[in-house]
Amino acid sequence: MSKIILLKPSHGFQVLSRGRQFSTLFLQPASLPALHISSLPTLLPATPRTALRAPNSDRRLLFPVRAIESSPTKEGEDEKVLSENGVEDGAPSSPLLPPSPSSDSKNGMAGKAGEYPTGEFEMVEFGWWMKAMVKLRMLFALPWERVKKGSVLSMKLRGRITDQLSSRFSSGLSLPQICENLVKAAYDPRISGIYLHIEPLSCGWGKIDEIRRHILNFKKSGKFTVSYIPICGEKEYYLACACGEVYTPPSAYVALYGLTVQASFLGGVLEKVGVEPQIQRIGKYKCAGDQLARKSMSKENCEMLTSLLDDIYGNWLEIISSTQGKTKEEVEEFINSGVYQVERLKENGWITNTLYDDEVMSMLKDRLEQKKRKNLLMVDYGKYSRVRKWTLGLESGGDQVAIIRASGSISRTRSPLSSPGSSIIGEQLIEKIRSVRESEKYKAVILRIDSPGGDALASDLMWREIRLLAAAKPVIASMSDVAASGGYYMAMAANTVIAENLTLTGSIGVVTGKFNLSRLYERIGFNKEIISRGKYAELLAADQRPFSPDEEEIFEKSAMNAYEQFRDKAAFSRSMTVDEMEQVAQGRVWTGKLATSLGLVDAVGGFSRAVAIAKQKANIPQDRQVRLVEISRPSPSLPELVSSIGSSIFGLERTMKEMLQDVASFGSVQARMEGILFERLEKPDYANPIFSLLKDYFSSF
């Protein structure tokens, strides 16, 4: 028995498996021989990637079945092996074979990515018939879809933005609905422009880039875009500067000082109370146990975090400088001078003017010639979200593309502590995947992932189902803020994988450990005695003593075995040799831009590019509209509604519920990227340091 922590890239600690070998690649009956991935390095030790490609095809050549068997296969036995591994008779292709991700080798990745359609937004001029139909539909629109002509779409963007569709009872912001509103508003003749209130955001850079792209697309309609930022940080300004006009109140809080990433360590604290973490690290960048075992940052962890921060900061400088018409050096010099005064932003052309909110609305009233009206005609985010795309002629009844959303941490089954819509429940997602695979009406599938990972078993079961789906129809994995560890595990099963420039992805590695509490027990006068049978029965049960030499050896071998299996499966899925995958694995987290150049991702882009690639793979013309069908739109149950109301009344923090959820998963195999790494790369943590330490600690299990 062993506890294994998979894919924690930084300084947190996840206690993972309890008592089960993670030794087979595919699900199969217990009576069948296991297919050991660890055989790949010896069977394919030096096979160049170019030799693994099918001639005259952009599909990845899949590893031959015999390359992953536990023993050599005689000629002509391939069909038998496919059948034994759960493929139905007559299936078009084997799920054992990678389902044709269309990327090339690392050296040719940029060129290959250029073969994908960009999905760039273009305003389409409707013909007279469609214009007439749209006017007719708006005339007979339902009451909650009615919008007065000359209205301004007003949206307040602040706090957490989820990648899931929100139900009508949710008060939070949904990225799909924000982006859909911007697309609808571009075509809606009743909308004159958009007015965005942008306040402190607690989402990642992937979502920010998606929203920013849609703002730029909206501007192609010729309508105005105005933003208002009372609190101006790097992320808020990054989004606001995409608008044509940027306003702040004269008293706005300005904090353009640069970006940071933090790491906290409990090694000294645990030492003082008599707790000794015993940790085995596999992979030089696998620093997941550092938070508990170390007192300071390791060289490898520092290298990884520095690289991520450099990518994010460099991207920020590049976007701001191109928007401002300045050089990156000029922008960096301005930031390094310490920007906290609104007047300096105005003097240097970073904002349009300093106005209060009511003054901005008065200005828009004059611009839209609504002086006689008491208030500016406006429609808010909630109401406009109810306007159907069909009403505006943006959705046809043609080919259908299924959208499967996977957001949050991964667990196999629902827990009583699970927040509604905040996590990926493996068994539920598998049902959705199977329903789409069995349906003939969907021409392609977009798997939208926003997950730092979680339960490794659930990740593997979903990986299997996604591969079966990808063998039946094109599957495009679209990464949002993060698709690392278990999130990447899911993505690599798709035909094509795309990510935003600053998506956090990769994190292929393991760490395993347990606590030696002997000194703590001695100090508090606690005694624990164990009677056991079996040489290694006390491996994890005996926390009152350190490992014996034999126990330490098997613990290390168990961790190495888990790492090799995951690494080899990743190499298999991406048609890379094990040596190539080893160079980019070892627990390291990459940005989407770098992951593309390394072969972990096929192309850089957002959801619109995923739709374009789905059309391409399904042989649907790019100029033809498709119907995007959300699989299992949210419809909260009564317990979920009560939970939501209770959270609002009693102020129960989402982070506390997630902490309890993580503690409840103690002892299961995890494929999780450390949450604190993601949170601190998306926003500095100014909370009480003691609470932050405790949160870091509990979220590690």
Side-chain angles (χ1 to χ4, degrees):
M1 295 177 62
S2 63
K3 294 184 180 178
I4 298 173
I5 301 172
L6 283 176
L7 311 173
K8 293 256 308 172
S10 182
H11 41 272
F13 178 81
Q14 295 279 21
V15 178
L16 300 177
S17 107
R18 177 174 291 173
R20 187 165 300 193
Q21 286 284 353
F22 187 58
S23 59
T24 58
L25 173 57
F26 303 105
L27 302 179
Q28 54 188 348
S31 59
L32 296 179
L35 302 184
H36 291 280
I37 290 295
S38 57
S39 63
L40 280 176
T42 56
L43 291 173
L44 295 170
T47 307
R49 292 185 65 184
T50 53
L52 297 176
R53 310 215 171 273
N56 303 320
S57 172
D58 69 343
R59 294 174 65 91
R60 286 179 179 269
L61 178 70
L62 313 172
F63 284 109
V65 174
R66 62 176 56 91
I68 55 171
E69 291 184 37
S70 56
S71 60
T73 303
K74 296 180 181 179
E75 187 175 354
E77 289 185 354
D78 287 5
E79 288 186 0
K80 179 180 178 181
V81 175
L82 297 184
S83 177
E84 286 178 342
N85 282 277
V87 182
E88 297 178 2
D89 293 338
S93 62
S94 166
L96 291 177
L97 304 179
S100 80
S102 301
S103 64
D104 205 342
S105 65
K106 291 183 287 186
N107 295 332
M109 183 61 62
K112 193 67 178 179
E115 297 180 12
Y116 295 119
T118 63
E120 185 176 354
F121 178 82
E122 294 181 5
M123 287 292 297
V124 178
E125 183 67 28
F126 289 159
W128 69 269
W129 172 252
M130 180 55 71
K131 289 181 179 178
M133 288 299 297
V134 169
K135 288 182 179 179
L136 186 63
R137 291 171 182 176
M138 289 191 296
L139 181 64
F140 293 98
L142 297 170
W144 50 85
E145 289 189 89
R146 295 184 181 275
V147 177
K148 292 185 178 180
K149 188 177 178 66
S151 294
V152 175
L153 173 59
S154 175
M155 294 193 292
K156 292 186 178 181
L157 306 180
R158 63 183 173 195
R160 181 172 179 253
I161 300 177
T162 178
D163 207 77
Q164 290 278 28
L165 282 171
S166 299
S167 69
R168 71 182 68 180
F169 300 100
S170 174
S171 59
L173 292 172
S174 164
L175 178 68
Q177 288 168 337
I178 291 172
C179 295
E180 184 179 291
N181 280 354
L182 291 170
V183 173
K184 291 185 299 187
Y187 283 96
D188 196 334
R190 303 168 297 180
I191 299 296
S192 300
I194 58 172
Y195 181 32
L196 300 180
H197 276 244
I198 303 173
E199 299 200 22
L201 297 161
S202 58
C203 62
W205 291 95
K207 293 190 182 76
I208 296 296
D209 271 332
E210 186 77 55
I211 298 173
R212 194 177 196 280
R213 185 182 300 112
H214 276 78
I215 293 172
L216 296 175
N217 290 341
F218 174 85
K219 293 171 70 173
K220 295 179 181 179
S221 67
K223 302 175 182 180
F224 67 80
T225 54
V226 173
S227 63
Y228 182 76
I229 43 175
I231 299 179
C232 183
E234 287 78 15
K235 190 173 292 184
E236 292 72 38
Y237 185 77
Y238 181 87
L239 187 57
C241 71
C243 299
E245 303 172 56
V246 182
Y247 297 95
T248 66
S251 55
Y253 292 139
V254 179
L256 295 176
Y257 301 134
L259 302 175
T260 65
V261 59
Q262 306 172 40
S264 54
F265 302 93
L266 289 167
V269 177
L270 297 179
E271 181 181 323
K272 290 182 180 297
V273 298
V275 175
E276 178 194 2
Q278 294 187 288
I279 297 171
Q280 294 286 347
R281 297 176 179 82
I282 309 297
K284 65 178 182 178
Y285 294 101
K286 201 60 198 173
C287 304
D290 285 5
Q291 186 180 20
L292 296 178
R294 293 181 62 91
K295 300 178 183 179
S296 61
M297 189 181 297
S298 68
K299 181 180 71 173
E300 293 79 12
N301 194 13
C302 181
E303 177 188 344
M304 181 178 68
L305 294 180
T306 299
S307 175
L308 291 172
L309 192 58
D310 284 344
D311 282 353
I312 296 172
Y313 188 53
N315 181 80
W316 190 88
L317 291 174
E318 182 178 350
I319 294 298
I320 300 303
S321 61
S322 62
T323 302
Q324 295 295 330
K326 305 178 186 294
T327 66
K328 291 174 64 175
E329 291 74 19
E330 289 174 331
V331 172
E332 189 168 21
E333 182 180 356
F334 182 63
I335 293 299
N336 288 339
S337 67
V339 185
Y340 61 91
Q341 297 169 309
V342 177
E343 292 77 10
R344 291 194 63 197
L345 293 179
K346 183 178 178 181
E347 290 170 3
N348 286 270
W350 282 52
I351 62 173
T352 306
N353 203 351
T354 55
L355 296 174
Y356 287 104
D357 179 40
D358 64 288
E359 294 177 311
V360 176
M361 287 193 288
S362 295
M363 177 193 69
L364 294 179
K365 277 179 60 180
D366 294 341
R367 183 181 300 180
L368 298 174
E369 299 181 351
Q370 298 179 9
K371 296 180 181 179
K372 295 182 180 180
R373 300 192 61 87
K374 181 178 180 180
N375 297 312
L376 176 68
L377 282 175
M378 301 179 74
V379 56
D380 63 18
Y381 163 85
K383 181 176 181 180
Y384 200 67
S385 294
R386 300 173 191 167
V387 176
R388 293 171 294 170
K389 290 189 293 183
W390 176 85
T391 303
L392 302 171
L394 299 177
E395 189 173 68
S396 68
D399 296 317
Q400 298 185 31
V401 175
I403 312 298
I404 300 177
R405 298 187 181 274
S407 298
S409 61
I410 298 171
S411 59
R412 192 172 61 86
T413 58
R414 177 172 293 280
S415 161
L417 297 171
S418 299
S419 299
S422 66
S423 61
I424 302 169
I425 310 300
E427 61 183 11
Q428 294 180 354
L429 191 69
I430 286 173
E431 288 180 7
K432 296 179 185 179
I433 294 170
R434 287 177 177 172
S435 68
V436 172
R437 176 162 59 92
E438 294 166 1
S439 174
E440 296 182 358
K441 64 182 179 180
Y442 302 117
K443 302 299 183 183
V445 182
I446 296 175
L447 177 64
R448 179 71 173 179
I449 302 174
D450 187 30
S451 172
D455 186 277
L457 173 58
S459 301
D460 187 66
L461 298 180
M462 291 186 292
W463 178 86
R464 166 70 173 183
E465 293 296 331
I466 296 167
R467 292 185 67 79
L468 289 171
L469 176 62
K473 57 193 68 180
V475 177
I476 315 301
S478 172
M479 299 178 174
S480 184
D481 282 341
V482 57
S485 303
Y488 183 76
Y489 207 135
M490 298 168 61
M492 68 187 189
N495 301 93
T496 308
V497 181
I498 67 172
E500 295 284 359
N501 269 316
L502 300 180
T503 296
L504 300 181
T505 190
S507 184
I508 301 165
V510 302
V511 64
T512 180
K514 78 158 191 174
F515 289 119
N516 170 22
L517 306 178
S518 57
R519 286 196 297 149
L520 174 63
Y521 288 171
E522 183 180 351
R523 289 179 181 179
I524 63 176
F526 180 80
N527 183 41
K528 180 177 181 179
E529 297 182 5
I530 300 176
I531 300 174
S532 62
R533 295 293 182 271
K535 183 176 180 180
Y536 298 108
E538 298 183 14
L539 184 68
L540 297 177
D543 57 6
Q544 82 282 11
R545 62 171 177 80
F547 284 129
S548 68
D550 287 344
E551 288 174 333
E552 188 169 8
E553 180 182 1
I554 197 173
F555 208 63
E556 182 178 2
K557 287 181 178 179
S558 175
M560 179 60 74
N561 179 62
Y563 171 70
E564 288 176 349
Q565 290 185 54
F566 188 81
R567 177 202 61 193
D568 295 348
K569 185 177 288 189
F572 171 76
S573 296
R574 296 299 299 170
S575 289
M576 297 169 69
T577 66
V578 172
D579 288 341
E580 286 178 324
M581 180 54 68
E582 179 69 17
Q583 296 301 312
V584 297
Q586 300 190 53
R588 181 153 184 171
V589 181
W590 306 95
T591 59
K593 183 178 181 180
L594 280 175
T596 304
S597 66
L598 296 170
L600 296 175
V601 170
D602 294 308
V604 169
F607 186 80
S608 57
R609 190 170 196 189
V611 173
I613 295 174
K615 287 183 180 180
Q616 180 191 56
K617 298 298 182 182
N619 297 318
I620 301 172
Q622 291 295 318
D623 59 354
R624 183 187 298 175
Q625 287 188 8
V626 294
R627 185 183 175 195
L628 302 179
V629 181
E630 297 281 351
I631 304 302
S632 299
R633 294 177 66 92
S635 54
S637 62
L638 180 60
E640 290 175 336
L641 292 176
V642 172
S643 173
S644 178
I645 295 172
S647 296
S648 301
I649 294 176
F650 299 107
L652 181 61
E653 292 285 346
R654 180 179 62 90
T655 53
M656 291 299 295
K657 295 182 74 176
E658 290 175 350
M659 283 168 52
L660 293 173
Q661 171 72 18
D662 289 335
V663 172
S665 67
F666 181 88
S668 64
V669 179
Q670 298 287 300
R672 183 193 302 269
M673 187 188 82
E674 185 183 3
I676 197 65
L677 167 66
F678 173 50
E679 291 174 5
R680 287 180 173 172
L681 278 172
E682 68 179 29
K683 185 178 181 181
D685 185 1
Y686 301 118
N688 183 285
I690 300 301
F691 177 79
S692 297
L693 282 172
L694 291 174
K695 179 180 181 297
D696 292 359
Y697 176 79
F698 283 117
S699 67
S700 298
F701 291 91

